[in-house]
Amino acid sequence: MSSSFVSAALPSVQNHIDAVIRKHSDYLTNENVNKFLHNNVDKFLSSIGIYVVKGCKVEKKLIQRYVKLLTRMRNKEYMKDIEIIIDSGGYSIQQGYVENKDIPHFIKLYHEFLNKNDHLFNYAFTLDLSAGFKSCPFKTWKELENLNIESYQLAVNLPEHIRNKILYIHHFRTPKLFQIYKKMFYELEFPKYFKNFATGGLVSLANTKNTPPCVMYVVPLVHVLSYAKNNNIKKLRFHVLGETEFKSILEHCFFEKHIKETHGIDIEITYDSSSIFKVLGMGRYIYVLDKFNIIRKMTLRSDSLDMMWRNEGIIKDLFYDIINKSIDGYGIKKLNKIDDPLYCNGRMNKIIYTYGIFQMFNLFATFQDLCYKIVDKLYPYYKNKEFFRFNDEIDKYMIKFNGGKFSRKIDYRINNIQNSLEVLESLDLDYIDYLVNNYMVSEEFQSLI
């Protein structure tokens, strides 16, 4: 079963796969890659923002360039029945890459793109607007509100079959931003036109000193669940932009189980990251789930390959065992250190890099399956109000998923799981307002009036 992980940077992933298929067809084929993706990671994120760079002209040519790229990505044989999710490029606007005067035109172009090219994607995000963490392209709160309403209204006006593909983003990062999105959610009743939802802003909140006593995305999720219950919606997807730490995946699985148990709603919590390239490409290491279910780092730096790894063996030997295990059963050629060295002329072998991506994909699927089993085992303790036992057992796993190390952040996260489950059960909207107004006010944008 494929994981709920959504791999960002689809063009980069495909460039690596294509290079191996083209030059080493005895290693990878369209058929075995497609089979592997279906069983490990079958959801990919591509952002229209790839062409929204500083100083770019907001014109139809920009959209046309992206459509050409998207068409090529969609038509890959190994992408058959694989999801492609479109990011709106809102982050590029936050960073000031689009001039203030051009934002309305970009909003229009994005929705024209959705209307004309829905055959090329499975899902797409609403074009949500917010001030960036370090920059703000807007002049006033009213301008930000009006542009968001304009954007979401254009999404509402899309044909129903396209709206059903839209992931409605509900923001909560600061009290004033939350008020704007609450107005769209409740007063303007935009959610009634959509079936799936999402939230963002978690990266900006990750390092705040005043975090709420629950998992942060529970705040918008409570609004979504309240809406779903009031409208007898029994199934939906909720995407969390970011939040792909292994510790977070256990939280996602607990919430899915709890929401089904308490509200009868089948929810899939998906999450995205481009961390594969930071880990493998920049960091030169991989994550490994060891025999004790502890998440470990294994360095792949060229000067470390002959080192002993945790008394289990030499890194350059263990690596091939790990890689080959991850692609076993798909008809993909196994690697060996003689024919497939980790480095060629001082650079990581492109075959190794591609197989390293596959290993990470397999790890997400394997790890999420483990988390579901842990949840099935531990959830009865919560349900029976054996909270000490519940938190004590979670403690053991959270430490394992933190590389076997305890930290204050881990202790905080453990307590937050129980708190979050209680919030998701009560769906107390007044308490949600309290959380935002008291814990997120320090993140308010000071430049807006």
Side-chain angles (χ1 to χ4, degrees), residues 282-310:
M282 297 171 63
R284 287 292 190 261
Y285 64 89
I286 59 172
Y287 284 106
V288 179
L289 183 66
D290 73 10
K291 60 186 177 182
F292 302 107
N293 288 331
I294 299 176
I295 293 289
R296 305 282 193 187
K297 283 185 180 180
M298 176 183 283
T299 180
L300 298 180
R301 292 188 179 277
S302 57
D303 59 357
S304 303
L305 298 179
D306 290 317
M307 292 173 56
M308 178 70 68
W309 189 75
R310 311 202 67 82

Side-chain angles (χ1 to χ4, degrees), residues 112-157:
E112 287 179 354
F113 157 77
L114 296 178
N115 196 31
K116 295 178 181 178
N117 299 283
D118 72 288
H119 60 291
L120 296 176
F121 61 86
N122 299 85
Y123 291 95
F125 291 106
T126 48
L127 175 47
D128 56 307
L129 300 173
S130 171
F133 184 56
K134 295 183 179 180
S135 62
C136 181
F138 310 102
K139 299 175 182 177
T140 66
W141 284 106
K142 191 62 181 177
E143 178 189 42
L144 179 58
E145 177 182 320
N146 289 341
L147 286 170
N148 268 302
I149 291 174
E150 179 182 342
S151 176
Y152 278 55
Q153 185 62 61
L154 286 175
V156 167
N157 293 342

